[in-house]
Amino acid sequence: MANLQDSKFKINTSHDFSCLELHITLEFLEDIKTPSWETEIFTKRKILRKSKLCLPLRKAATSLCLSMQKGFHNAPLRCAMALAVIGHSFEHIQESHPQNTLSTIEKARLDKAYKLLLSRKDIAPRIIDLAKYSGLSATRLKTGFREIYGCGPYSLFQAHRMEHAKILLKKYSVTETAIQLGYSNISHFSAAFQRQFGKLPNTYRKKN
């Protein structure tokens, strides 16, 4: 799962759903425990709301962050601390129950656009091309993606693109991986990878 900008927290499951894996990065914890966390980080991310419950979240994040910085390896206790951060975070997410407004035909067309969107990993099709291919308007395409997949087409493409990067990094260098994914600037690839996984691609490659 990725925290995608301007998207609602949403999980689509099926009958065989059995596990949800959440990653809390040190960078995210640093964001929470820094003095600017209320005005800058969470205002931009639009996830956590200002309230008296933010104090327990900040304390939990600070505690977990310090344990990670000091290399604390008590797995059960760290897991409990991470769950405390997640629990306090969820208390600030505004609950919503959006109605499904898509028809069966529209869902089929969105699925068609979805398959085209992820058919390549080096470049994302333009919204106008996806709309034309699927038979939907550009506006309906974007709202439909958010309703079904929880984010816009490009955010979804980028998330899958970075997941594919993890596979490539096991075999290729950072530069080779970036080129295969359509990046002409290696630093842009590194920044995108770090945003999604909390670590630089070179660091990930060395550990995997």
Side-chain angles (χ1 to χ4, degrees), residues 72-124:
F72 183 64
H73 296 300
N74 187 321
L77 183 56
R78 180 178 286 187
C79 180
M81 295 166 69
L83 288 174
V85 173
I86 295 171
H88 289 308
S89 299
F90 281 8
E91 291 178 355
H92 296 269
I93 297 176
Q94 292 183 339
E95 186 176 356
S96 61
H97 301 281
Q99 294 183 346
N100 193 324
T101 59
L102 297 169
S103 67
T104 302
I105 294 176
E106 286 176 321
K107 289 179 180 179
R109 290 177 176 176
L110 283 168
D111 182 64
K112 187 177 179 180
Y114 172 89
K115 290 176 180 177
L116 177 62
L117 177 68
L118 302 184
S119 63
R120 295 180 61 175
K121 302 295 189 297
D122 58 338
I123 186 170

Side-chain angles (χ1 to χ4, degrees), residues 128-147:
I128 190 172
D129 293 330
L130 281 174
K132 184 177 180 179
Y133 178 77
S134 63
L136 295 169
S137 68
T139 300
R140 194 57 173 161
L141 177 79
K142 289 185 285 187
T143 57
F145 260 79
R146 290 191 176 90
E147 187 169 322

Side-chain angles (χ1 to χ4, degrees), residues 31-112:
D31 285 347
I32 296 178
K33 76 182 189 69
T34 52
S36 61
W37 68 287
E38 280 192 324
T39 57
E40 292 183 13
I41 303 301
F42 294 138
T43 300
K44 291 179 180 178
R45 292 184 180 176
K46 299 179 182 179
I47 296 178
L48 305 183
R49 310 298 179 185
K50 294 181 182 179
S51 76
K52 62 181 181 180
L53 292 177
C54 286
L55 182 58
L57 170 62
R58 186 177 180 182
K59 289 182 177 179
T62 301
S63 179
L64 180 55
C65 188
L66 291 175
S67 73
M68 293 174 70
Q69 290 174 332
K70 293 178 180 179
F72 183 64
H73 296 300
N74 187 321
L77 183 56
R78 180 178 286 187
C79 180
M81 295 166 69
L83 288 174
V85 173
I86 295 171
H88 289 308
S89 299
F90 281 8
E91 291 178 355
H92 296 269
I93 297 176
Q94 292 183 339
E95 186 176 356
S96 61
H97 301 281
Q99 294 183 346
N100 193 324
T101 59
L102 297 169
S103 67
T104 302
I105 294 176
E106 286 176 321
K107 289 179 180 179
R109 290 177 176 176
L110 283 168
D111 182 64
K112 187 177 179 180

Side-chain angles (χ1 to χ4, degrees), residues 21 23-24 29 58 66 81 112 203:
E21 182 177 356
H23 292 258
I24 301 180
L29 294 173
R58 186 177 180 182
L66 291 175
M81 295 166 69
K112 187 177 179 180
T203 303

